[in-house]
Amino acid sequence: MATGLESGAELQLPGLRRAAAHLGGLLGPRADIGSGPGVMTCVLAEAFAGAATVAVDATPGLLDRVRARAGKLGPGDRVAVRHAYRRT
């Protein structure tokens, strides 16, 4: 299955590269792309009710908010958090 997924994704490389370049242009060279307090994480968990959702951020306090939000809104058991360490 992994080979098929990889091949399918490689067919999309031109579009993926355009999307990444567009994000780079919007965010600049020091982009910080993290889950923040989990608003979008919970929207994704709602939209994909059968899937697990993972929130990644470099700020532990924000990951606490992800947990709280997911618990309050219902998808708490399907939302995991991961701490990403900032490079200095």
Side-chain angles (χ1 to χ4, degrees):
M1 182 167 98
T3 301
L5 290 171
E6 189 173 21
S7 296
E10 286 174 350
L11 291 173
Q12 303 300 320
L13 278 175
L16 295 171
R17 286 189 174 118
R18 282 192 304 275
H22 180 71
L23 280 173
L26 291 174
L27 300 173
R30 296 185 55 102
D32 176 7
I33 302 173
S35 66
V39 175
M40 191 63 192
T41 302
C42 289
V43 168
L44 290 169
E46 251 178 46
F48 299 95
T53 307
V54 179
V56 179
D57 204 280
T59 306
L62 289 175
L63 295 174
D64 291 340
R65 293 183 70 100
V66 173
R67 286 185 199 94
R69 175 180 289 279
K72 180 177 73 174
L73 297 178
D77 59 334
R78 295 183 299 104
V79 174
V81 299
R82 299 292 181 268
H83 184 230
Y85 297 93
R86 294 182 197 261
R87 290 184 183 202
T88 56

